[in-house]
Amino acid sequence: MSGQSITDRITAAQHSVTGSAVSKTVCKATTHEIMGPKKKHLDYLIHCTNEMNVNIPQLADSLFERTTNTSWVVVFKSLITTHHLMVYGNERFVQYLASRNTLFNLSNFLDKSGLQGYDMSTFIRRYSRYLNEKAVSYRQVAFDFTKVKRGVDGVMRTMNTEKLLKTIPIIQNQMDALLDFNVNANELTNGVINAAFMLLFKDSIRLFAAYNEGIINLLEKYFDMKKTQCKEGLDIYKKFLTRMTRISEFLKVAEQVGIDRGDIPDLSQAPSSLLEALEQHLASLEGKKVKDSTAASRASTLSNAVSSLASTGMSFTKVDEREKQAALEEEQARLKALKEQRLKELSKRPSFATTDTSPISTTGGTISTAPAIDLFSTPSCSNGAVKMESDLFDLQSTFQPSMQSGSTGLPVATAWAGYSTPQAPPQQSAGGLQVDFESVFGTKATGSNSLNSDDIAGGILKPTLAGSNLPSSQQPEKLVSDDLDSSLANLVGNLGIGNGTMKK
């Protein structure tokens, strides 16, 4: 089976609908494609482990859920993704895995879909056991052996005797689980198992380097230990020699599948005389008769053994440092490519130029700092004259002449967005109600007390007739006939009679 299956696409679509980007990426990293998880998906999940708002338990549960699949491809890739996050992700991911009582329960996993499923199921069971043991080791010592500080002042070299005797067996158990993967070069036939092997290869180098430094510390303290401690120490050293042979075979497989020889460390065996010296020292503490050995010869044997193991440790450290440097260069190259891509995107983006009259336009990439005109502020005066800073105020004179000829008593708008009150007109005597019938009926009202309509409404309500400037012979007809005058007169007379009757 190759390519993403319909199930993969449906599952990813479901997580897209629910808005879970993490679960969607887990599904994309663990598809049915017979190839290792894609780097872009692994990088995104690593980024998620470093984000404080990402739910680590949810991420881990998504991976555990994928291991319940019946396809060996999906399950294997789920284990690879988990291992990748344990190695390169934030430490809180490993902490969560270590806090769980159970991780992967795949001891009985078997894919019966084909011959390849049978073969790969064996390695899935072994691989899951190693990841379980890796999490258990972290739970017991509260640190990852593959990430501890190494060297003369490293964690394993500076550990006291009691703690050292308890810690080295934990490393041995994890190393056993790793070497139990037990794959041959001709069994690395697809991209999935190859990806798992590469992670195991890198873990083996770092894990054995910590293991080696613990043994060096053990040998340096051995001849000063108590009898029970010497017995434990001797047993630990014998197991170390056995595992050194196994790790040597594991590294040969790595060389056979094409891993560069410079990336494979050299193993230097300790002299066989060291084991004999350790056994004789323990026998002497137990009261057994042993051949005499001087302190000088014993010190010389121990020095040679420590020197051999130290050279092995240096070889492992160089390989690890070379890998770290390569990873750093790869990351720098990736960041450089992203930067160049970003610059290209910015160069293709259209620039939005502003006109000279725009208030946000800039010149030479700078923002104009000239003070803005405030229409509501009080203008500054010099020698009693107002200094106008804008042509807006020159327009004020065009508004005032038409209002000067006939003062109306109404407020006049000015350029200051306010109002000024003109001079009030001369008051005239009021003789009762005065109406200008000329403006309404087109006739001239008589009477000394009649007021001009301009005095009442300032000409605002006075209609302007198109023929007002024509001669009297060409004046338009009256709006209302003279019969209305007689009707009004009769009405006034009737009102007078009525009033007289009421007075009587």
Side-chain angles (χ1 to χ4, degrees):
M1 184 183 297
S2 61
Q4 294 187 27
S5 66
I6 297 178
T7 305
D8 294 332
R9 299 180 185 276
I10 293 175
T11 305
Q14 289 175 344
H15 290 298
S16 297
V17 172
T18 58
S20 178
V22 173
S23 299
K24 179 181 178 181
T25 307
V26 169
C27 290
K28 287 183 172 293
T30 58
T31 60
H32 288 77
E33 297 174 282
I34 304 180
M35 58 181 292
K38 293 182 180 179
K39 187 177 184 301
K40 63 179 181 180
H41 299 144
L42 295 176
D43 289 344
Y44 177 78
L45 294 177
I46 290 173
H47 172 72
C48 289
T49 63
N50 292 310
E51 292 293 329
M52 298 307 297
N53 60 339
V54 172
N55 191 329
I56 295 297
Q58 178 185 355
L59 171 58
D61 289 341
S62 298
L63 291 168
F64 294 146
E65 181 182 357
R66 297 296 282 173
T67 61
T68 61
N69 198 286
T70 57
S71 170
W72 70 267
V73 182
V74 174
V75 176
F76 216 153
K77 292 172 75 171
S78 301
L79 297 177
I80 293 170
T81 304
T82 303
H83 191 182
H84 194 89
L85 296 182
M86 294 176 76
V87 174
Y88 300 106
N90 192 284
E91 190 174 4
R92 65 196 189 109
F93 180 77
V94 184
Q95 290 174 346
Y96 173 73
L97 296 183
S99 67
R100 293 176 61 102
N101 294 328
T102 58
L103 292 182
F104 302 107
N105 186 17
L106 299 172
S107 57
N108 297 320
F109 176 81
L110 182 61
D111 185 347
K112 301 179 182 180
S113 60
L115 181 60
Q116 191 177 31
Y118 276 95
D119 294 338
M120 293 297 107
S121 295
T122 301
F123 295 107
I124 287 175
R125 293 193 295 268
R126 296 172 182 174
Y127 194 29
S128 64
R129 178 177 175 268
Y130 169 71
L131 295 181
N132 287 340
E133 193 63 40
K134 185 178 177 72
V136 170
S137 297
Y138 189 94
R139 183 192 308 163
Q140 291 175 324
V141 297
F143 59 82
D144 189 343
F145 289 114
T146 64
K147 298 180 181 180
V148 294
K149 181 181 179 181
R150 295 196 293 270
V152 179
D153 57 345
V155 174
M156 300 304 297
R157 290 291 296 272
T158 57
M159 197 172 289
N160 59 52
T161 303
E162 291 76 12
K163 189 173 182 180
L164 184 66
L165 292 174
K166 294 180 180 179
T167 303
I168 293 181
I170 299 174
I171 301 180
Q172 288 178 338
N173 292 335
Q174 186 175 341
M175 179 63 70
D176 288 343
L178 188 151
L179 297 175
D180 285 343
F181 192 71
N182 196 25
V183 65
N184 297 321
N186 57 1
E187 293 173 316
L188 299 173
T189 57
N190 60 74
V192 180
I193 191 172
N194 291 348
F197 179 78
M198 286 303 300
L199 289 174
L200 291 172
F201 169 73
K202 294 175 182 179
D203 264 15
S204 67
I205 293 176
R206 298 166 183 166
L207 185 61
F208 190 82
Y211 191 12
N212 187 72
E213 290 191 350
I215 294 298
I216 294 175
N217 190 11
L218 177 68
L219 294 176
E220 290 175 343
K221 291 179 168 63
Y222 182 81
F223 294 101
D224 297 326
M225 292 179 182
K226 300 176 183 179
K227 182 176 65 174
T228 55
Q229 293 176 336
C230 285
K231 190 174 181 178
E232 291 180 27
L234 180 60
D235 184 60
I236 288 173
Y237 181 72
K238 289 180 179 180
K239 291 180 179 179
F240 172 76
L241 295 177
T242 304
R243 283 152 184 79
M244 181 173 280
T245 303
R246 294 186 65 189
I247 192 67
S248 177
E249 296 173 353
F250 185 84
L251 297 179
K252 287 181 181 178
V253 175
E255 186 177 357
Q256 292 172 3
V257 297
I259 295 179
D260 190 86
R261 187 67 184 88
D263 295 333
I264 300 176
D266 297 323
L267 293 178
S268 300
Q269 294 282 351
S272 58
S273 58
L274 175 61
L275 179 59
E276 183 180 354
L278 297 178
E279 291 175 341
Q280 288 182 358
H281 177 70
L282 177 60
S284 66
L285 293 177
E286 293 176 345
K288 297 178 182 180
K289 187 178 181 180
V290 296
K291 63 180 182 179
D292 296 335
S293 61
T294 62
S297 62
R298 188 172 59 190
S300 176
T301 302
L302 179 61
S303 177
N304 292 334
V306 170
S307 178
S308 298
L309 296 176
S311 64
T312 299
M314 288 296 295
S315 177
F316 276 81
T317 300
K318 288 180 180 178
V319 171
D320 192 22
E321 292 297 329
R322 192 180 301 116
E323 181 191 350
K324 290 180 180 179
Q325 182 64 28
L328 181 61
E329 292 175 355
E330 180 183 354
E331 183 67 17
Q332 289 177 345
R334 188 176 69 86
L335 292 176
K336 183 179 179 181
L338 290 175
K339 183 178 179 180
E340 292 177 353
Q341 180 181 359
R342 180 60 176 168
L343 291 176
K344 289 181 181 179
E345 293 176 356
L346 292 177
S347 63
K348 293 180 181 179
R349 183 175 300 176
S351 59
F352 299 96
T354 57
T355 61
D356 293 339
T357 58
S358 173
I360 61 172
S361 63
T362 59
T363 303
T366 59
I367 298 176
S368 175
T369 57
I373 300 174
D374 188 357
L375 298 179
F376 302 97
S377 62
T378 304
S380 58
C381 299
S382 177
N383 298 327
V386 178
K387 294 182 178 180
M388 301 299 182
E389 295 183 0
S390 173
D391 293 339
L392 176 64
F393 300 101
D394 296 335
L395 301 176
Q396 182 173 356
S397 59
T398 62
F399 291 106
Q400 291 180 352
S402 61
M403 306 300 294
Q404 296 289 343
S405 59
S407 179
T408 64
L410 296 176
V412 179
T414 67
W416 297 99
Y419 296 91
S420 62
T421 304
Q423 294 292 332
Q427 295 183 355
Q428 298 185 9
S429 59
L433 179 62
Q434 303 292 332
V435 179
D436 186 1
F437 286 96
E438 180 184 10
S439 62
V440 179
F441 302 109
T443 60
K444 180 68 178 177
T446 59
S448 59
N449 293 334
S450 64
L451 297 175
N452 192 320
S453 62
D454 288 340
D455 296 336
I456 298 175
I460 295 178
L461 300 179
K462 179 178 180 181
T464 302
L465 299 178
S468 59
N469 296 326
L470 297 176
S472 58
S473 61
Q474 301 180 3
Q475 286 289 342
E477 296 180 0
K478 295 180 181 179
L479 296 178
V480 183
S481 62
D482 291 338
D483 293 339
L484 181 60
D485 293 337
S486 58
S487 299
L488 290 174
N490 294 332
L491 178 62
V492 171
N494 293 333
L495 290 175
I497 297 173
N499 289 337
T501 306
M502 293 176 62
K503 288 179 180 181
K504 292 179 181 181

